[in-house]
Amino acid sequence: MKKAIQIPYNASFERKCRYAAQAGFRAVAVNFNDMDDRSPETWAAAPENIRRILEQNGLSCVQTHLPYYDLRISAEITDDELENAIHRSIQVAGAIGAPWNVYHPRSAVNAGFSAAKTLEENVRRISGYLETAETYGTGIALENLPIFKDIIPIMPFYPNNAGDLCELVDSLRSERVGICWDTGHANLMDIDQAEAIRQMGERLKVTHIHNNFKFYDLHLTPDNGNIDWKSVMTALAEVGYDGPLTLETHCLYGDELLMQAFARHNFACLEFLERLQNC
């Protein structure tokens, strides 16, 4: 199972890739949501620049994170600039050989939450992304989202459970669509993650691995929080999951030595998860 860590495509990208490789990683995820600059020139240069950095460090890209809407914005609303960024990200992903692009589905809440309208809007919009993905030889992985307890009023962001994800994936009827299971988001929802993984089965293509204490979406390292990793890793083995374990952890400091130590600690955490699976 490949061990990967997500890195934002911004001014820190090159040095963080270097630190990841030095820590033992051979794969990364590229986060296009946190770009500093989305100018046409930056998009045009991105494929060659990313390939150069990955090759210099012996890395591959196992997935990307697409730009996403503020989750409080209803699914019926369109931002042309953001839509362009999503499609450009998919194009770059294809050019750098990333097989999957993680996307946040959206909730239809203009007149109060509507499950039927939400499914309809997501199928319509994601179908357009899949056309671009087909052209550039990559796929779309749909991520589970939580109810954030720190947002008032509480909003049931869609999809927040395995059943919603399976329904949406099955409705799209494409081999280029799958699921990204976010362990931290699931923990916020107090979901039985092992059962959810069994329900998703072969639909599960990639992961976001991080931890919390069921209160806030802190994106902590796996060893810091209360997720039952043994049950998660056992379930992944049971369903034959062969995708990457991709960390989506946050280092909030720019100190060079601390970032290097953070990369090493993250790699050690994934080695720990692998040992759990083999116990």
Side-chain angles (χ1 to χ4, degrees):
M1 192 175 295
K2 286 187 176 180
K3 296 183 283 293
I5 188 167
Q6 182 167 284
I7 299 175
Y9 187 57
N10 57 27
S12 69
F13 181 73
E14 186 161 7
R15 70 178 183 274
K16 286 184 176 179
C17 282
R18 182 169 67 253
Y19 298 155
Q22 291 170 353
F25 287 98
R26 294 296 173 262
V28 297
V30 181
N31 181 1
F32 290 117
N33 184 68
D34 293 340
M35 290 175 67
D36 297 325
D37 174 18
R38 292 178 181 170
S39 67
E41 294 76 17
T42 298
W43 285 121
E48 183 177 350
N49 188 47
I50 294 172
R51 284 197 299 264
R52 173 186 61 82
I53 293 168
L54 296 182
E55 289 171 4
Q56 285 178 349
N57 291 286
L59 297 167
S60 63
C61 180
V62 291
Q63 66 200 68
T64 78
H65 203 312
L66 298 177
Y68 52 84
Y69 285 79
D70 184 316
L71 296 176
R72 293 165 292 187
I73 296 175
S74 191
E76 301 95 332
I77 297 172
T78 296
D79 180 320
D80 291 339
E81 184 176 340
L82 184 52
E83 290 295 318
N84 177 67
I86 293 171
H87 285 279
R88 292 300 297 265
S89 297
I90 296 170
Q91 294 172 22
V92 174
I96 65 174
W100 294 101
N101 304 271
V102 177
Y103 173 71
H104 287 181
R106 300 171 63 196
S107 301
V109 294
N110 268 352
F113 178 76
S114 166
K117 184 65 174 177
T118 291
L119 181 61
E120 175 188 335
E121 286 294 328
N122 277 290
V123 169
R124 178 185 65 82
R125 195 173 295 274
I126 295 166
S127 294
Y129 303 149
L130 285 170
E131 291 181 7
T132 302
E134 176 73 32
T135 300
Y136 291 92
T138 185
I140 309 295
L142 309 176
E143 180 178 351
N144 58 304
L145 301 166
I147 294 174
F148 287 110
K149 298 181 176 68
D150 54 344
I151 294 177
I152 303 297
I154 291 175
M155 294 181 64
F157 295 136
Y158 173 92
N160 56 50
N161 59 73
D164 285 346
L165 283 167
C166 291
E167 180 184 35
L168 181 53
V169 168
D170 293 348
S171 296
L172 286 157
R173 300 178 182 177
S174 170
E175 64 181 11
R176 293 192 180 275
V177 66
I179 291 172
C180 172
W181 187 248
D182 187 300
T183 59
H185 292 171
N187 197 47
L188 286 171
M189 296 292 295
D190 202 21
I191 286 172
D192 183 333
Q193 299 206 50
E195 183 56 36
I197 289 166
R198 296 184 187 101
Q199 183 177 359
M200 292 181 290
E202 63 183 13
R203 302 178 187 87
L204 179 60
K205 304 299 182 184
V206 292
T207 57
H208 281 166
I209 302 294
H210 57 103
N211 208 342
N212 57 57
F213 292 94
K214 298 186 180 180
F215 291 107
Y216 297 103
D217 193 23
L218 296 173
H219 288 258
L220 303 174
T221 52
D223 60 321
N224 193 5
N226 52 24
I227 291 176
D228 179 359
W229 290 113
K230 175 61 177 175
S231 67
V232 169
M233 297 306 297
T234 298
L236 289 174
E238 287 177 5
V239 301
Y241 176 73
D242 60 358
L245 290 177
T246 300
L247 289 157
E248 196 183 39
T249 50
H250 293 167
C251 181
L252 302 179
Y253 300 94
D255 180 80
E256 300 298 310
L257 292 178
L258 184 57
M259 285 193 289
Q260 293 175 55
F262 183 76
R264 292 193 298 270
H265 181 67
N266 274 267
F267 189 80
C269 283
L270 289 187
E271 290 184 315
F272 166 70
L273 296 187
E274 285 188 320
R275 290 196 298 274
L276 285 180
Q277 192 173 52
N278 296 325
C279 289

